[in-house]
Amino acid sequence: MFKTLNNYRSEFVLLTLVLFILFGIGTCIFFSLPLFLGLIPAYCILFVYLLALKNGFIQLLFVSLEGVLMVKEVVGILIGVGIMLPSFALSGTLNEILNIFISTLNPRYLALFSFIFASILSLIVGSITGALCILSAPIMALSNSVHYPSYLVAGALVSGAMLGDRTSVFSSALRLTAICVGVDVKTHFMAILPTTIISVILILIFYSLVLPLFFELSINSVNLNINYLSKISYFKLLPILILLVLFMKKVPLFFSFLLSSIFALIISSVSFNINLMQYIFYGISIWPFNHLNGIFSMLPLVALVCISSAFNSLLQKSRLLDSFIKRIINPKSYNQSVFRVIVLNLISSMLFCNQALPIMLAAQQLRNEWKKSFSLSLLSRVIADSAHVFPGIVPWNLLAQICAILLGVKPIYYIPFALLLWILPITNLLFSFFAQKD
């Protein structure tokens, strides 16, 4: 059984972990090192701390291994994406999607259309990963071909994809939030609707009016008619259709990627030889797409997933956050309670390095104390507007890294322009000034 010392000591260890994570990750970003190296010092410190509390070495290893096994599905997704991207490029599927976008979109409003398309698709599939897997490569290629700033388009895509991931009734993350808080899906959906509507309106105004007015965008449309406005082959769009159907049927994501990739390779003109294997394992570069990562390109991210999950497992077992959490709720001030929960969710997103654990932590640890003073639906809204979206603005978080891999843009470049992820917590905080106790 894991033990912690007095509150002062546990909070000191927690602060030390946060500082080491920030320093380690910051060093990796500065020197362009794999991010998983930045988490190793924090993991070692926590491991040694728990050993000092007379927890068994083997026991700690097993707890770490349990954490790694919990993310085997995520590892499968990363490998699946590594197979899918080169396969869709070789089959011409990405090119055909690009043809459709080019023939229908106004390049000057590419960020606006990117947000709208990503929102619609993610509302259908209920997954930020699923929406970005389908849209990111062709839309980012379009931004390259017309010289539209890639960081603006990437931010718009992440914002739109997150909208569906957070709001769609098909989203597992939405259902996870509702279940952990203890409300039904309809109650949760109605609770998040006001902040959703306001945030979407503000984003649409920014992308359609403010962005063209204050950003001098040099759009090059010379290449469009020359390279891409050919007759669209709808047969080559079948891999995307298969992927969409599998998503909606809730087939495990790895198998969705694998099956659609196999079909894409079958309809491609590439023979099954050593070159094909090279593309699958090492990725492929084809203009105007950025380098499309293969399996080996995903390995540093796989290492980040495994180390962060092992760290998360130890952190949960150690219950280092318990003493901090108990002081979050202020029964006399809803505003103050909301602010503290948002700060807690930001810290947990920095520590846990994934999306699910901050949601579960805030919901399960706070709901009993919260419902003594406030409505649980208000807690579900705070969590949806903070714990759900913060992983996307923490550069070393798994969600941000997956988005970066799919977009071909480093998190620090697109994060400032992923407007939904910033507007939602601010809107929720403003709402707290007007919300009434239940």
Side-chain angles (χ1 to χ4, degrees):
M1 180 177 178
F2 282 84
K3 301 177 182 178
T4 56
L5 300 181
N6 56 63
N7 292 344
Y8 169 78
R9 174 62 67 85
S10 61
E11 291 177 2
F12 173 77
V13 173
L14 185 61
L15 177 61
T16 302
L17 293 175
V18 172
L19 292 177
F20 266 84
I21 288 175
L22 292 175
F23 178 77
I25 296 295
T27 301
C28 290
I29 292 175
F30 184 81
F31 291 103
S32 299
L33 299 173
L35 287 182
F36 73 89
L37 297 175
L39 283 180
I40 293 177
Y43 171 79
C44 293
I45 288 174
L46 181 58
F47 196 96
V48 171
Y49 168 71
L50 294 174
L51 275 179
L53 295 179
K54 302 191 184 304
N55 294 294
F57 181 84
I58 300 299
Q59 183 185 18
L60 295 179
L61 288 180
F62 271 108
V63 171
S64 300
L65 181 60
E66 287 175 3
V68 174
L69 293 176
M70 286 176 62
V71 294
K72 59 181 182 294
E73 183 178 354
V74 178
V75 173
I77 291 172
L78 294 175
I79 301 300
V81 170
I83 298 172
M84 184 200 72
L85 291 177
S87 302
F88 279 25
L90 292 170
S91 67
T93 301
L94 296 182
N95 261 0
E96 295 308 320
I97 301 174
L98 184 59
N99 289 339
I100 294 174
F101 288 145
I102 288 174
S103 61
T104 56
L105 299 185
N106 183 338
R108 291 195 175 276
Y109 295 95
L110 186 55
L112 173 65
F113 286 117
S114 298
F115 173 75
I116 293 173
F117 282 146
S119 299
I120 294 172
L121 185 57
S122 64
L123 284 169
I124 294 173
V125 302
S127 167
I128 184 172
T129 305
L132 290 180
C133 279
I134 295 171
L135 288 178
S136 59
I139 289 188
M140 293 306 295
L142 177 56
S143 73
N144 290 338
S145 65
V146 299
H147 298 170
Y148 194 103
S150 60
Y151 51 86
L152 292 178
V153 178
L157 284 171
V158 172
S159 291
M162 178 60 79
L163 178 65
D165 187 75
R166 171 189 168 276
T167 312
S168 173
V169 293
F170 301 111
S171 169
S172 58
L174 177 139
R175 294 179 180 274
L176 175 67
T177 304
I179 291 171
C180 291
V181 172
V183 298
D184 58 74
V185 172
K186 182 180 178 180
T187 300
H188 175 66
F189 180 82
M190 296 306 297
I192 66 176
L193 198 57
T195 54
T196 303
I197 292 173
I198 291 176
S199 299
V200 169
I201 291 173
L202 291 175
I203 290 172
L204 292 176
I205 291 173
F206 177 82
Y207 285 137
S208 60
L209 299 177
V210 178
L211 190 61
L213 188 62
F214 290 99
F215 282 77
E216 292 292 333
L217 301 176
S218 176
I219 306 300
N220 171 25
S221 60
V222 174
N223 294 321
L224 298 186
N225 292 328
I226 296 176
N227 295 302
Y228 290 107
L229 289 181
S230 56
K231 187 176 179 180
I232 296 171
S233 172
Y234 293 99
F235 180 68
K236 292 183 179 180
L237 294 176
L238 285 178
I240 287 292
L241 180 60
I242 292 173
L243 187 62
L244 272 173
V245 171
L246 294 174
F247 277 152
M248 296 182 70
K249 292 294 184 180
K250 301 300 180 182
V251 174
L253 290 178
F254 172 75
F255 293 105
S256 299
F257 293 136
L258 183 61
L259 292 174
S260 59
S261 299
I262 291 174
F263 184 82
L265 291 173
I266 290 174
I267 67 173
S268 71
S269 58
V270 180
S271 59
F272 287 76
N273 54 29
I274 188 65
N275 289 331
L276 175 61
M277 292 297 101
Q278 183 175 350
Y279 294 144
I280 296 299
F281 282 98
Y282 293 97
I284 185 172
S285 295
I286 179 171
W287 194 91
F289 301 97
N290 290 326
H291 178 76
L292 299 172
N293 293 296
I295 294 175
F296 286 165
S297 303
M298 298 296 180
L299 294 183
L301 189 52
V302 169
L304 176 65
V305 171
C306 294
I307 292 176
S308 65
S309 189
F311 175 78
N312 295 340
S313 185
L314 289 179
L315 191 61
Q316 278 190 302
K317 289 288 186 179
S318 67
R319 304 184 68 179
L320 283 173
L321 289 169
D322 284 6
S323 62
F324 178 72
I325 290 172
K326 290 178 181 177
R327 299 198 296 271
I328 294 293
I329 309 301
N330 182 353
K332 297 180 180 180
S333 175
Y334 176 69
N335 302 338
Q336 192 177 95
S337 298
V338 168
F339 177 76
R340 289 176 177 178
V341 171
I342 290 175
V343 172
L344 170 68
N345 290 333
L346 179 59
I347 293 174
S348 61
S349 297
M350 294 166 59
L351 282 172
F352 287 124
C353 296
N354 69 17
Q355 188 183 41
L357 286 177
I359 292 174
M360 295 169 63
L361 171 72
Q364 295 174 345
Q365 297 290 337
L366 296 177
R367 65 183 181 185
N368 291 332
E369 198 65 31
W370 182 278
K371 68 181 179 182
K372 295 177 183 177
S373 306
F374 313 108
S375 168
L376 283 178
S377 63
L378 296 178
L379 176 61
S380 73
R381 184 168 70 193
V382 177
I383 292 174
D385 292 345
S386 54
H388 198 129
V389 299
F390 278 154
I393 62 175
V394 176
W396 58 89
N397 194 285
L398 173 61
L399 181 63
Q401 286 294 308
I402 291 177
C403 292
I405 287 288
L406 295 174
L407 295 166
V409 178
K410 291 183 178 180
I412 57 175
Y413 295 127
Y414 78 74
I415 283 173
F417 301 96
L419 300 183
L420 185 77
L421 284 59
W422 297 99
I423 292 176
L424 280 172
I426 295 173
T427 303
N428 196 294
L429 198 55
L430 293 175
F431 257 67
S432 69
F433 287 99
F434 306 101
Q436 300 293 321
K437 288 185 181 181
D438 197 13

